[in-house]
Amino acid sequence: MKIAIMGLGVVGRGVYDIITSRFAPEIEVKTILDLLPLEELHCIHAKSIDEIVNNPEIELVVEAMGGLHPASDFVLKALQAGKHVVTPNKQMVSTIFAELQQAAAENGVKILFTPSAGGGIPWLYNLVRTKRCGGIEAFRGIINGTTNFILDSMEKSGADFADILKEAQRLGYAEANPSADIDGIDIQRKCAISSNLAFDVQLDPARIDTAGIRRITGEDIRAFRENGLHCRLLCNGEKLPDGKICAYVEPVLLKEDAMEGHVPANFNMVFLKGPEVGELGFFGQGAGRYPTAHSLVEDILDIRAGLGYTGNGPQAEIDNRSAVHAYYVRTEDPALRAMAREPFGPGFLTGPVSVAEMHGAVRAAEAAGHETFFAAVRA
Ligand code: HSE
């Protein structure tokens, strides 16, 4: 099999290294598309996507450029030219999910994107595999390594948010624009992709109620630890009996016996729930050159073996009114403060409130200029 790699950055280079060291000559990296000069590599250095789509020898394209454009334009061209595609690009996959699936189906090829949620963990692959027997009822978990690193480090060091964010950036965990991680946008995209495959639907990622950890302080963390609680940023997905999907991302306060509260550093941990299998958990590296490249190589090997998955469900509505928790809230917003049941550290605890109501109230508070941190309290 001859393949092309688009983008020789962190992940693209990882795929090149694994393929050339373990799978050559059966799998050959024929062409690399990258604008930067390449060091001495044994392949064609393409400057244009046309050099890939017009080469009949290339069967599969690895998209490792990231971002929406031009990656999505190049991927659609590759699919239309009858080439399989593998990609870790969660922004592209979550934004144009249906278009990618349709282009692959119309041209008799596959697009696999296992590392787009969970990085090196075979999460999406096993979600699809498990779904065959009775479907997936729900999933939840930590699928953003940067925020887990920040929360875990704040707990362990006592340092404040800004200092730990700088450390995450220095270590290369945080995205170039940290907002994608700390405001929950990265995990929101992964939540949409996981829901699409788990429940055979298409969700608009922007409609998933999402709160990140930008506003958390050392004082919040100290109050949580004094009460035996760990804070983690979790995504949640559940198929409701009426076919709507409950999907949201928010910080959660977990008791000592919850496994997610002990996930260290930048690791991920995610669980699915099925009718017979019950809860099934996955733990591992959600990012990084070789874990992500390894997952892409697994996708290449699956396509080569005639395996894979598709997702082509209808658009589904998100309804977060039935998920109800107590919340920890720290804010000066009067409407939110009216929900207080009892003081807790620098904030307060509410009674049971639906996810839809709480996220709506916090968005209104932030729009009115009241900086607010909140976290669900898991019973
Ligand atoms: N910024 C992402 C994370 C990278 O921290 O999980 C992997 O998707």
Side-chain angles (χ1 to χ4, degrees), residues 329-344:
V329 186
R330 181 177 42 72
T331 185
E332 293 303 322
D333 180 70
L336 280 168
R337 290 179 74 89
M339 293 183 186
R341 280 268 182 95
E342 56 178 291
F344 188 98

Side-chain angles (χ1 to χ4, degrees), residues 7 34 40 89 97 105 124-125 136 144-145 161 163 221 267 281 285 369:
D34 201 291
E40 208 46 51
N89 187 334
F97 190 84
L124 293 177
Y125 181 82
I136 302 292
N144 179 269
F161 177 80
D163 295 329
I221 294 273
F267 279 87
Q285 278 290 344

